[in-house]
Amino acid sequence: QVRLVESGGGLVQAGGSLRLSCAASGSIFSIILMAWYRQAPGSQRELVARITSGGSTNYADSVKGRFTISRDNAANTVFLQMDNMKPADTAVYYCHAAGTGIGGIGFGSWGQGTQVTVSS
């Protein structure tokens, strides 16, 4: 079992910043991919950013230049630095991790989600 615990969500004014963290724990051998998704009420979940084990990153067009994803492999933790935030960034943000557990079995796990609200 792999558990993801998120932190850092909250309320911020437009133009402000938040930093989200997601720490994975459990029977982990390696984490191949980590990603952040978000979902606004009544909307589909969308990919915000992802990072591979080698450090390659990918961002949604709507957040390019404003958000930065990074990871601490030793701590099995992924971060999302969100700068110059906009009201449109308001959503529940979910962490996702995929990799290999101890014993060779693959896994895909989701965090519980953390609310991010940007006021104008």
Side-chain angles (χ1 to χ4, degrees):
Q1 298 180 358
V2 177
R3 181 187 181 193
L4 304 181
V5 179
E6 301 169 343
S7 62
L11 176 66
V12 66
Q13 295 283 337
S17 298
L18 286 174
R19 184 175 175 85
L20 305 182
S21 299
C22 173
S25 62
S27 300
I28 301 169
F29 179 76
S30 66
I31 298 177
I32 300 170
L33 295 171
M34 299 192 82
W36 289 96
Y37 292 76
R38 67 186 182 187
Q39 186 169 17
S43 301
Q44 293 185 330
R45 189 185 306 170
E46 64 174 348
L47 177 67
V48 177
R50 64 184 178 187
I51 186 167
T52 70
S53 59
S56 297
T57 58
N58 183 265
Y59 297 92
D61 288 341
S62 60
V63 307
K64 286 181 179 178
R66 300 188 298 117
F67 291 9
T68 303
I69 189 170
S70 61
R71 64 189 293 175
D72 182 342
N73 291 331
N76 289 326
T77 301
V78 64
F79 306 93
L80 186 67
Q81 178 67 41
M82 303 183 291
D83 297 320
N84 191 24
M85 298 189 71
K86 303 176 180 180
D89 296 323
T90 296
V92 177
Y93 284 70
Y94 298 91
C95 176
H96 183 263
T100 303
I102 296 174
I105 191 168
F107 69 86
S109 297
W110 291 94
Q112 78 284 357
T114 183
Q115 177 69 50
V116 171
T117 302
V118 184
S119 64
S120 60

